[in-house]
Amino acid sequence: MNQPHLITPEQLAGMDRFYRMNLINSLSGYKQPFLVGTIDGRNRTNLGLFNSLVHIGAQPARLGFFIRPLTVPRHTYHNILERKKFTINLVAEAFIDPSHQASADYPWGMSEFEKTGLTPYFSASHIAPYVEEATIRIGLELEEEQKLACNGNILIVGKVVEIYVPENGIFPNGSIDIIGQKTAGVIGLDTYFTTEIKKILPYARPN
């Protein structure tokens, strides 16, 4: 049997920065890339690519995601604090390339919507922009933030106030068919893929 290769903390410390970054980011396995849409006090739109979406609670519905430490201006973070609203838009196969480009470090006030060609969409009751190309969109209201003492990362927790999903995009059991909507997955920071459903199992009970 082929035994896994051991990598020690000392070896990690001696690695090339970008090699180490890719290695550690891929340790958590498959993730969901998503675009966070925000708007500032001057009504300038912003779009950021993230891959750390987490379920916080179902009743009331809450989602969270992580923002890196505030060692440089974080446009998404500052806009969320200013306007208290943001959107989450799941990246689909059809617009992986422009979504990835949204991760570039554009200057403050320059809209990633304009630079990537993605289209902002505004609902009647939510001030933050959605991505029109996304078939699964979630509007959220800032509920709290938690700064991690270990590294300064910030967990943003939002209360779900709107959900856009196609009528044929929900299974009979209530689960969203993210595979049927051709949403993308990502490994690490730059390896995108699509997948297929193997099986849907019932809720597990002791008997």
Side-chain angles (χ1 to χ4, degrees):
M1 181 178 178
N2 187 20
Q3 292 297 319
H5 172 66
L6 172 65
I7 299 175
T8 66
E10 292 76 20
Q11 290 171 315
L12 283 173
M15 289 177 180
D16 171 79
R17 173 193 169 199
F18 292 102
Y19 184 94
R20 180 177 62 249
M21 180 176 66
N22 288 327
L23 189 152
I24 298 302
N25 270 280
S26 62
L27 277 179
S28 53
Y30 305 145
K31 294 185 286 292
Q32 174 75 59
F34 58 97
L35 293 161
V36 175
T38 59
I39 191 168
D40 68 10
R42 298 169 62 182
N43 291 326
R44 297 177 299 186
T45 60
N46 181 266
L47 197 61
L49 180 68
F50 296 83
N51 63 15
S52 58
L53 188 62
V54 292
H55 167 81
I56 302 295
Q59 182 56 31
R62 294 184 178 94
L63 296 173
F65 73 101
F66 285 95
I67 290 178
R68 288 180 292 171
L70 305 179
T71 52
V72 297
R74 303 291 182 196
H75 307 162
T76 295
Y77 173 80
H78 295 295
N79 288 351
I80 290 175
L81 255 62
E82 184 175 15
R83 302 304 294 268
K84 312 300 182 186
K85 302 287 177 64
F86 61 101
T87 69
I88 286 175
N89 308 267
L90 300 192
V91 174
E93 182 179 3
F95 56 98
I96 288 175
D97 287 1
S99 297
H100 184 74
Q101 187 60 34
S103 65
D105 187 19
Y106 291 106
W108 191 284
M110 183 176 289
S111 175
E112 287 81 1
F113 281 102
E114 296 176 9
K115 291 300 180 179
T116 63
L118 292 170
T119 311
Y121 168 80
F122 293 90
S123 76
S125 58
H126 200 66
I127 61 172
Y130 292 95
V131 176
E132 187 170 295
E133 289 79 1
T135 60
I136 301 174
R137 317 169 193 158
I138 309 156
L140 300 104
E141 184 177 282
L142 176 64
E143 193 154 79
E144 66 175 291
E145 60 170 308
Q146 295 288 338
K147 184 176 181 180
L148 302 187
C150 62
N151 63 2
N153 281 350
I154 300 170
L155 173 63
I156 298 293
V157 176
K159 180 173 65 176
V160 176
V161 295
E162 291 185 340
I163 301 173
Y164 288 89
V165 61
E167 289 186 8
N168 65 350
I170 302 178
F171 289 119
N173 69 355
S175 297
I176 294 177
D177 182 10
I178 63 172
I179 307 301
Q181 295 302 310
K182 299 191 180 301
T183 58
V186 65
I187 302 171
L189 299 173
D190 56 9
T191 304
Y192 296 87
F193 64 93
T194 57
T195 186
E196 61 183 22
I197 295 174
K198 293 299 183 183
K199 61 176 65 175
I200 299 177
L201 300 174
Y203 186 83
R205 301 182 187 279
N207 297 320

